[in-house]
Amino acid sequence: MSDFEKRLARLEAESQIRQLIAHYCFDIDDRNIEAVRDLFTEDGVLQSVDGVMHAKGPDAIIEQYHGRFDVLGPGHHFMHDVQIDFISEDEATGRVSGHAELQRKGMMMVTALRYADKYRKTDRGWKFAERTIQFLYYVPVSEYPDILLREDRNMAYDTPGPADFPEKLESWQAYHENRKRA
């Protein structure tokens, strides 16, 4: 394969992964649950950093979504930045930042989130091999104006919990530790 062909194949792979990410958002919001099944590899994992979500395999992932949808009303997920790093011609990792507007627990909520992804090329195209969700905040709209002033920014559940990032990131901690010494 020539250098040009390799670069073209890489661009096509990146485009397919970006489409995968977009399909995920639309399919979740539209409750097109059977389409969600097709976005994951047969051994795919969907989980959250806080441990509330963890499912392996399409059937378990779909069951997990049924449980999520039981407590969620209409929602709108939109992704912003997408970083894709190729490990090989058939594997890649990614980071995806986004927001969602949701109806949960009878109220309007907003969330800032990130996905840490692993993608794998299959005979059916690129799929999620692993998708891990993490939250900067998940709050009722009424709490949004001052949400970054507090650490317990995950209010999706009955007891508020800490945010998954950025304070827990090694880079964040190292930066602030170095600034204290400066």
Side-chain angles (χ1 to χ4, degrees):
M1 190 182 282
S2 72
D3 183 55
F4 174 76
E5 290 171 320
K6 287 178 185 175
R7 291 188 352 232
L8 182 59
R10 181 63 50 95
L11 289 172
E12 288 176 339
E14 183 176 323
S15 178
Q16 289 173 15
I17 291 170
R18 288 178 181 277
Q19 285 294 312
L20 177 71
I21 293 164
H23 278 282
Y24 177 88
C25 291
F26 287 115
D27 292 342
I28 293 300
D29 289 342
D30 296 347
R31 301 302 192 264
N32 189 358
I33 197 73
E34 286 306 312
V36 172
R37 175 188 303 277
D38 193 45
L39 301 178
F40 288 86
T41 60
E42 288 303 314
D43 61 346
V45 173
L46 177 66
Q47 60 193 353
S48 59
V49 168
D50 63 11
V52 172
M53 295 173 61
H54 186 83
K56 183 174 182 176
D59 291 339
I61 290 169
I62 297 307
E63 279 308 306
Q64 182 168 262
Y65 269 112
H66 286 313
R68 304 290 293 173
F69 295 157
D70 287 347
V71 298
L72 293 174
H76 181 70
H77 289 75
F78 41 104
M79 299 301 102
H80 304 298
D81 296 320
V82 176
Q83 174 187 335
I84 301 168
D85 296 308
F86 288 89
I87 298 168
S88 70
E89 292 179 17
D90 299 328
E91 293 182 294
T93 61
R95 293 191 316 164
V96 180
S97 66
H99 280 85
E101 301 168 350
L102 308 151
Q103 185 274 329
R104 182 182 177 92
K105 300 192 303 184
M107 67 183 89
M108 177 69 183
M109 299 185 89
V110 293
T111 181
L113 52 94
R114 287 183 181 174
Y115 290 100
D117 291 336
K118 293 181 182 176
Y119 314 106
R120 187 179 316 134
K121 186 177 180 181
T122 72
D123 59 351
R124 298 176 299 124
W126 285 89
K127 305 290 179 191
F128 293 110
E130 184 174 300
R131 184 149 243 226
T132 304
I133 190 170
Q134 48 193 320
F135 298 102
L136 172 64
Y137 58 80
Y138 195 137
V139 298
V141 172
S142 62
E143 299 287 328
Y144 177 74
D146 295 322
I147 196 57
L148 294 179
L149 301 176
R150 54 191 294 178
E151 291 183 17
D152 60 340
R153 299 189 298 264
N154 188 342
M155 299 181 189
Y157 311 108
D158 292 336
T159 304
D164 297 321
F165 70 92
E167 295 90 344
K168 293 179 182 178
L169 299 174
E170 287 181 27
S171 59
W172 176 275
Q173 293 170 6
Y175 172 83
H176 288 285
E177 188 59 37
N178 288 335
R179 290 295 295 159
K180 287 179 194 175
R181 288 186 252 150

